Amino acid sequence: MHKIGRGHREKVQQFMAITGATDKAAIQSLKASDWHLEGAFDIYYTQLQIRAVTDSKLLEELYRRYKDPYAEMIMADGITLLCSDLQVDPQDIVMLVLSWHMKAATMCEFSRQEFIGGLQTLGVDSIDKLREKIPLMRAEMKDDQKFGDIYYFSFGWAKEKGQKSLALDTAIGMWQLLFAEKCWPLMDNWCQFLKVKHNKAISRDTWCQLLEFFKMIDPTLSNYDAEGAWPYLIDEFVEYLVENGLAHLP
Amino acid sequence: MSGMQKKKTSKIEPFKQRVENDPNYSEKAWKVLEHAIHEIYNHNASGLSFEELYRNAYHMVLHKFGEKLYGGLVSTLTFHLLKIAKSIEAAQGPFFLEEINRKWDEHNKALQMIRDILMYMDRTYVPSAGKTTVYELGLNLWRDIIIHSSKIQIRLLDTLLDLIHRERTCEVINRGLMRNVIKMLSDLGSSVYQEDFEKQFLNASSNFYAGESQEFIESCDCGEYLKRAERRLNEEVERVSHYLNPSTEKRITKVVEKEMIENHMQRLVHMENSGLVIMLINDKFEDLRRIYNLFCRVPSGLTSIADVMISYLRQTGKKLVTDPDKLKDPVEFVQLLLDERDKHDEIITQAFNNDKTFQNALNSSFEYFINLNSRSPEFISLFIDDKLRKGLKGVSEEDVENVLDKVMMLFRYLQEKDVFEKYYKQHLAKRLLSGKTVSEDAERSLIVKLKTECGYQFTSKLEGMFTDMKTSEDTMQGFYASQFGDVGDGPVLSVHVLTTGSWPTQPTTACNLPTEILCVCEKFRAYYLGTHTGRRLSWQTSMGTADLKATFGNGHKHELNVSTYQMCVLMLFNTSERLTYREIEQATEITPADLKRCLQSLACVRGKNVLRKDPMSRDIAEYDTFYFNDRFSSKFFKVKIGTVAAQRESEPEKQETRQKVEEDRKPQIEAAIVRIMKSRRVLDHNNIVTEVTKQLQSRFLSNPAVIKKRIESLIEREFLERDKTDRKLYRYLA
């Protein structure tokens, strides 16, 4: 039991009365919010799912299983092992979602913090439990809000460390992965166009705006607005479609 | 005191007129008056006594018989007027008007007399009973009985209109009579004049001129038609002044303008072989003046002329700037532009009253077609170059200013002023370095004009170039002063030290200078760096010139003016009689492209072939051999072989320059975007594009696609970001 001051004790009581949380959870939330009740409520409720207690010892063991022998990171080999343990393909989109939960900085490597933090967020501390979460993670891709977050996250994750832009091939691979279930009819044209006409890295702005484009603009381009402040590349894409008779402008 | 005296007061007795006692008094009085009126109308007024009549009327009114008097007046007048009407109706042909005129005159005189007689009634009974005064009554009755009589009204109108029509068809009519009759109508009231005459007059005129204009336009050319229209207009104005009411002038001119001009505007202006365009081409000032004066009277008359002028100018201009023949000689080309402009400016001054509409038409047309040719900026700079090199030699200062001002007008039309700047810099550099400028004053004057037009930024580098030239002079003086006694037989060096930023950038090319030159160059370098520590000098071998004294066979001596490259090549022949291309290339290390050009100018140009080439082909090949041409001769002592004059660029050079310009524009656009966003903080895409274009339009026309790319680059570099909710908005990131 942690040593808590009088005033804080009262807040813990209040918190537990209102939320019905355990005292441990109450203390953690209050501590995290610097002993402000309102902030504590926020933290508590957003982490409700995560309040399943995870055993940090188990997490450490798990980390050590996968970590690279020479570095304080989980590298490619570790990830391959992880995937096989989970019985998923390394190219499976679930790995991307997992990386997102971990807030991983770069693809193909997890830092200790990222790995453990991610599993805690998911509320798991064993492979079996993680495996059970896989369907949930898949479902997250279907949620529009989460899909957006994952999409934006992917840019920073997929690009080379220290680069500002995303290499074209990687970008195309990512797009095909992300949009696999979205069935966007223009995706193939987009990739084709980029290979033929652009052949350079993709900027963050273009990456982000493509999602907007996908969400807002009809595949027949009927509501495309030339004055719509779309990135230059997307304007060129529209031109390309029109030139090749694949769409008509209103 | 004696007894009281009776005072006798005198009493003035009133007239013993038993007026009020006589019940028939009013009747009697009226009879007298009635009789008088009859007499007046029968021209028998002389026997009447004014005093008696006045008295009778006075008493009638006084004793409350005003109504009877007034009523009687009305019926008597009516009676007479009916008689008059009959006599007018009976008049035949030309006598009709005359009769009206005469009777009107008489009626007026009669009315005056009657009014005088009945003045008391006019002043007392009439106002209190709310009736019209005698005179006015007389007019109204005349109007109702005579003018509006069914037998007279139409006939009168027809007669008048007929006479006017005849006069229009060149018959002579009695204007005095017309004047009187029409004045009668005016006197009867403006509504009478308008309703019973003017309206129909305008109508008839309208029909007349509609017909006539149709006839004219089928048979006349534009100039002739306009002359006739003008004539008719003047005629009508004159007619009004002679016998119509002045208020009609405005209305009738409007009718003529409408029928003769407005309705045929387009046809006139576009008439083949005689319309506006022909007039413009042939400088027909008189016709143009006339068309201007006539068309400015009708709504959108001037704009129709301006429109035709604009489309004609645009067309001719477009043809001019896309005609490959005309584009062969840039100087000629620009001269043609200037001539075209002068010609039309003259027209606008002489014939169009310097009207702003046409100034604008001229300017907008020129702006349109000058920018159709992307080489216009280059050509204008070449034109100036030519003038400043030789064209303005011996010309008076005033005329120089004139020419430069005119060129500035063309400059103003350019949309890509930054392209002009690039070329101007290049050409100016060549002029300055070869010392080939006709007048330094003229050069400076033009810089000042450019500065006034475009601001300090535009000309600061150019001015820097002038400063460098001046400074170099001083430096050279200092150099030679420091070299006393050390000169000897070596070559005489003249150096221009150029500040890198101000002059057009040239890539430094390799070139092995002959030892004598190197030696003296080193001396200079030492001197210069001694006085200017921390600077770096690099010799620009592509921009220099040299004067060589050459001795040919038979002792012929010539002085050759050559470029630095050419000098290096020629000096090699001091030690060898023959050299292959390879050997020359190795020795000088000049790049192949430049070397070939250089050798070509030394060996393949008639009159300048100080070298002989084997084989004798025009082009330089890698296995060619070169010999010193002992048999070279020229009638001039000084032979100029250097190719330093500015010429129109070849296609690849042009591409290169254009690319440089595009590159230069990018930072300017970015700077503008940042400036705008810094002050606005948040702005949407379209507004940014508009603002940027506006800010930069004095230098060049921005391409919205390029602006977009720059915005994206700035987003990349985190100067801007997109708004999280509205993707069309951008935010400035501090």
Side-chain angles (χ1 to χ4, degrees), chain B residues 213-357:
Chain B
S213 67
Q214 195 60 39
E215 190 194 310
F216 282 176
I217 205 142
E218 303 290 341
S219 60
C220 308
D221 69 17
C222 183
E224 182 60 34
Y225 180 94
L226 291 172
K227 275 205 193 100
R228 294 193 189 181
E230 196 177 54
R231 208 179 306 142
R232 279 301 190 197
L233 266 172
N234 292 339
E235 241 179 62
E236 292 299 326
V237 171
E238 200 223 16
R239 175 167 300 115
V240 170
S241 74
H242 270 118
Y243 57 80
L244 298 179
N245 189 308
S247 65
T248 308
E249 183 179 318
K250 220 172 26 174
R251 297 182 190 129
I252 184 64
T253 42
K254 245 202 182 34
V255 165
V256 181
E257 285 162 7
K258 180 164 186 302
E259 293 301 327
M260 293 213 87
I261 303 173
E262 196 178 338
N263 288 351
H264 298 282
M265 257 187 340
Q266 292 303 325
R267 194 165 162 182
L268 282 170
V269 154
H270 286 117
M271 235 185 218
E272 259 192 67
N273 299 334
S274 68
L276 183 72
V277 172
I278 304 293
M279 291 183 196
L280 289 174
I281 295 179
N282 296 324
D283 292 325
K284 293 240 185 268
F285 290 146
E286 204 194 302
D287 285 341
L288 288 166
R289 217 173 282 134
R290 187 170 296 117
I291 205 175
Y292 177 80
N293 284 330
L294 289 176
F295 276 53
C296 74
R297 293 158 171 260
V298 301
S300 52
L302 289 185
T303 38
S304 4
I305 303 183
D307 286 343
V308 173
M309 188 170 168
I310 290 177
S311 87
Y312 159 70
L313 281 174
R314 283 193 177 201
Q315 221 181 0
T316 3
K318 185 167 175 186
K319 252 198 307 203
L320 185 70
V321 304
T322 48
D323 182 351
D325 258 345
K326 303 260 174 6
L327 296 172
K328 279 210 191 102
D329 181 354
V331 179
E332 280 258 338
F333 168 73
V334 174
Q335 189 61 50
L336 280 174
L337 289 177
L338 286 173
D339 291 341
E340 270 298 301
R341 196 184 186 286
D342 275 344
K343 173 194 159 86
H344 291 100
D345 203 38
E346 182 74 11
I347 290 178
I348 295 178
T349 322
Q350 293 273 9
F352 290 164
N353 202 26
N354 249 333
D355 191 309
K356 215 153 198 240
T357 322

Side-chain angles (χ1 to χ4, degrees), chain B residues 557-711:
Chain B
K557 287 199 180 30
H558 288 282
E559 193 174 290
L560 307 175
N561 174 258
V562 295
S563 72
T564 307
Y565 289 157
Q566 289 163 338
M567 171 204 47
C568 297
V569 169
L570 288 176
M571 293 294 278
L572 294 175
F573 286 87
N574 270 346
T575 42
S576 335
E577 275 289 324
R578 73 184 272 278
L579 289 164
T580 62
Y581 175 84
R582 286 245 174 271
E583 288 171 325
I584 299 178
E585 190 181 19
Q586 227 172 358
T588 59
E589 288 188 21
I590 298 175
T591 55
D594 289 327
L595 183 57
K596 286 193 180 144
R597 240 206 317 256
C598 168
L599 286 169
Q600 212 166 20
S601 58
L602 287 172
C604 307
V605 180
R606 191 153 12 142
K608 312 261 174 110
N609 48 339
V610 289
L611 292 181
R612 195 163 42 87
K613 185 167 87 76
D614 186 30
M616 295 263 278
S617 53
R618 267 264 307 270
D619 293 318
I620 309 291
E622 310 226 326
Y623 44 78
D624 286 348
T625 320
F626 293 87
Y627 301 86
F628 179 69
N629 186 2
D630 224 14
R631 282 188 294 204
F632 171 77
S633 70
S634 163
K635 50 182 175 169
F636 300 110
F637 174 66
K638 287 196 183 174
V639 182
K640 183 166 144 45
I641 312 185
T643 48
V644 206
Q647 284 165 345
R648 57 183 283 160
E649 287 188 322
S650 62
E651 196 56 40
E653 283 176 327
K654 184 178 82 141
Q655 297 290 9
E656 212 189 303
T657 311
R658 168 110 340 223
Q659 227 175 343
K660 278 201 209 135
V661 168
E662 292 297 335
E663 279 303 310
D664 284 343
R665 287 180 181 177
K666 286 188 187 164
Q668 291 178 63
I669 295 179
E670 288 190 357
I673 296 173
V674 171
R675 247 198 320 273
I676 292 165
M677 290 306 292
K678 204 164 179 181
S679 76
R680 306 287 212 103
R681 295 276 136 188
V682 178
L683 197 56
D684 72 284
H685 184 89
N686 286 341
N687 272 324
I688 293 186
V689 173
T690 319
E691 284 292 320
V692 168
T693 312
K694 210 164 42 164
Q695 276 202 19
L696 294 172
Q697 82 183 41
S698 60
R699 282 186 64 79
F700 59 87
L701 203 56
S702 317
N703 181 339
V706 174
I707 297 179
K708 196 183 249 199
K709 275 200 184 149
R710 293 294 101 218
I711 293 179

Side-chain angles (χ1 to χ4, degrees), chain A residues 205 209 229-232 235, chain B residues 708-709 712 716 722 727:
Chain A
D205 185 58
Q209 289 297 305
W230 294 107
Y232 179 63
D235 284 339
Chain B
K708 196 183 249 199
K709 275 200 184 149
E712 283 176 44
E716 245 336 73
R722 283 188 197 260
R727 43 169 303 285

